[in-house]
Amino acid sequence: MKFTVNKTISAQQKLSRKLVASKKTIAIVPTMGSLHDGHRSLIKRALKLADVVVTTIFVNPTQFGPGEDFKRYPRSAKSDLELIQKAGSKVVFIPKVQDMYTDDYRTYVSVHKLTDDLEGASRPNHLRGVTTVVTKLFNIVRPDFAVFGMKDYQQAMVLKRMVADLNWPIKMVICPTVREKDGLALSTRNGYLSPMHREQATALYQALRIARKLCMEGEERISVILRDMRRELHDLAPAGKVDYIAFTDMETLRPVTRIEKDTVVSLAVRLGSIRLIDNMKIG
Ligand code: PAF
């Protein structure tokens, strides 16, 4: 199959219809572009799952809040296409904002409860924007598999719930976070950090490692783990402002009162105007 870039919804629908009719399986890798090694690893995983990998690039306005960085979110279509082609994905879908959200657009998809805390509490409507756009992408691309990163932990769990609740015959595959050498989780927003903030950003990973180490030593009390994580963040990232540190059950996202099997610790920290998130399974 030759490398194909679909810029309209109808072109992608036509191709997906053809692929389905010829019994080819499809894996989707949804992205907002500005691709890095984290995205490359998602594409590589998708290639192992399906006959055809469709990578989508769409900076989705409905998941950005007022005052967030929708306008200045980096757009780099040329280098993105190169990365996608080199990684081996044969189809790219790049819809336009005005086609995805026409002037009379009125429909949103929300997942209840799982979106109340963590990112949901800090960024109202963000997850509703994600579930809405992913619903639209699924309907257009018609995937058998969908590949997301664990870096956006709550997003991944919310999307898994949505797929189960809406009875989509799509297998959700959640891939491990890809990190820089010093542990910082790869993210498009890392590029906005000043050199000083970039140096301090490694504190998120170090704090998570402390949580995991304590847990492995048998510590179950959240208050103790939290205290040591906060100390580490304070020491390594004095400029950082902690938005939240949360201990939750991996699938249900319910807060836990002691470390249990499948506990995930997640955190969000602001460094200057940049908000970074990360997480680790510690239970
Ligand atoms: O994780 C992202 O890049 C986005 O939230 C997604 C899933 C592509 C939806 O816009």
Side-chain angles (χ1 to χ4, degrees):
M1 180 177 190
K2 71 176 194 328
F3 187 65
T4 307
V5 179
N6 288 325
K7 293 190 174 167
T8 64
I9 294 172
S10 57
Q12 182 57 51
Q13 282 173 322
K14 193 170 160 202
L15 176 61
S16 288
R17 246 196 327 271
K18 239 167 88 182
L19 291 170
V20 172
S22 57
K23 304 247 180 307
K24 297 271 189 234
T25 53
I26 302 173
I28 186 171
V29 181
T31 82
M32 297 209 297
S34 280
L35 305 181
H36 49 64
D37 279 349
H39 299 106
R40 196 195 317 273
S41 77
L42 302 182
I43 295 173
K44 292 281 181 201
R45 183 80 177 88
L47 286 166
K48 295 206 172 90
L49 298 167
D51 298 319
V52 178
V53 174
V54 180
T55 306
T56 69
I57 300 178
F58 183 64
V59 184
N60 173 36
T62 63
Q63 69 187 78
F64 289 80
E68 289 189 351
D69 53 353
F70 173 66
K71 285 227 170 81
R72 70 179 183 115
Y73 195 85
R75 280 126 172 120
S76 50
K78 195 163 168 279
S79 56
D80 286 347
L81 289 180
E82 275 167 25
L83 184 148
I84 293 168
Q85 192 166 18
K86 260 202 194 141
S89 166
K90 289 276 190 273
V91 181
V92 189
F93 176 43
I94 315 185
K96 291 182 191 59
V97 172
Q98 61 271 30
D99 293 341
M100 289 291 271
Y101 298 110
T102 52
D103 287 343
D104 52 356
Y105 191 84
R106 295 291 177 269
T107 306
Y108 292 87
V109 179
S110 325
V111 174
H112 291 209
K113 289 213 188 307
L114 295 193
T115 52
D116 289 348
D117 298 326
L118 310 175
E119 292 305 288
S122 300
R123 304 181 65 191
N125 288 334
H126 163 68
L127 287 159
R128 183 186 80 151
V130 171
T131 42
T132 298
V133 80
V134 170
T135 296
K136 290 170 70 68
L137 293 170
F138 283 179
N139 282 336
I140 296 163
V141 173
R142 301 174 65 181
D144 303 281
F145 302 89
V147 183
F148 295 90
M150 181 67 177
K151 152 89 174 21
D152 294 297
Y153 152 64
Q154 186 179 20
Q155 164 177 291
M157 296 308 138
V158 165
L159 290 171
K160 266 177 88 170
R161 188 70 256 156
M162 175 180 85
V163 164
D165 288 351
L166 297 182
N167 310 104
W168 262 312
I170 298 173
K171 170 120 177 51
M172 297 289 282
V173 178
I174 314 300
C175 298
T177 301
V178 179
R179 298 180 180 281
E180 299 280 7
K181 277 206 182 75
D182 65 1
L184 177 65
L186 293 193
S187 161
T188 302
R189 291 190 172 98
N190 294 350
Y192 298 149
L193 291 165
S194 70
M196 181 189 84
H197 289 149
R198 169 63 190 83
E199 207 173 292
Q200 297 190 13
T202 186
L204 279 82
Y205 178 62
Q206 295 306 335
L208 293 171
R209 281 188 56 186
I210 285 197
R212 188 173 57 189
K213 179 169 171 285
L214 286 170
C215 236
M216 281 164 70
E217 289 167 2
E219 183 57 73
E220 289 180 354
R221 290 165 300 173
I222 283 170
S223 57
V224 173
I225 300 176
L226 198 52
R227 185 199 60 205
D228 284 15
M229 287 180 75
R230 282 194 182 277
R231 188 180 299 143
E232 186 76 354
L233 285 165
H234 180 264
D235 290 350
L236 295 184
K241 296 213 167 16
V242 179
D243 186 351
Y244 64 78
I245 302 178
F247 297 78
T248 49
D249 175 78
M250 170 128 167
E251 295 279 332
T252 64
L253 295 170
R254 262 193 227 113
V256 295
T257 49
R258 286 184 93 73
I259 304 300
E260 295 163 11
K261 186 175 163 291
D262 291 335
T263 297
V264 170
V265 54
S266 49
L267 77 174
V269 176
R270 258 177 218 288
L271 279 162
S273 61
I274 309 307
R275 190 168 169 282
L276 299 175
I277 59 171
D278 202 348
N279 65 81
M280 195 176 274
K281 183 169 175 293
I282 58 170

